[in-house]
Amino acid sequence: MYSAYAIVTVLTIAANVWAAGADFAKAKFVLGNAAELDLPLSWLPLLGALKAAGAAGLLLGIFGDRFIGIAAAIGLVLFFIGAIAAHVRARAFSKIVFPGIFLALASASLVLAIA
């Protein structure tokens, strides 16, 4: 069971580190997505920091601090529920699959961390 937890959580960490980096770099697709969702560009560093903090917490969870890992997974689940809500609010259904994938990864990490 630990192997499944480690594999899924490493994938979740990698995805969130990549997404945080894209937010910090203000990648073209991030700017387009922010415009479509009507998010202020000033939010990008905060959104990137939240993703990076979640990834760091998951990493701590893998290396033995189970409660930090669970808290980080819960935080990421809530973050991506909010991202999906933002897509629904903006009626940006064509891109809703992306936060959905991140939500699925975070949810799987959470379930496996608790198990």
Side-chain angles (χ1 to χ4, degrees), residues 16-106:
N16 280 282
V17 166
W18 172 80
D23 287 349
F24 292 137
K26 295 185 179 172
K28 187 176 179 179
F29 75 91
V30 171
L31 297 176
N33 203 30
E36 187 174 355
L37 299 178
D38 198 28
L39 294 177
L41 295 182
S42 63
W43 286 20
L44 292 181
L46 174 62
L47 297 176
L50 290 171
K51 292 171 192 169
L58 290 177
L59 188 62
L60 288 173
I62 287 177
F63 287 110
D65 196 333
R66 182 172 184 252
F67 295 108
I68 297 275
I70 290 170
I74 290 169
L76 286 171
V77 166
L78 294 173
F79 180 91
F80 289 110
I81 287 172
I84 288 173
H87 281 74
V88 170
R89 178 188 58 83
R91 299 186 187 277
F93 300 114
S94 66
K95 295 180 183 167
I96 204 166
V97 69
F98 298 108
I101 291 168
F102 281 86
L103 175 60
L105 284 169

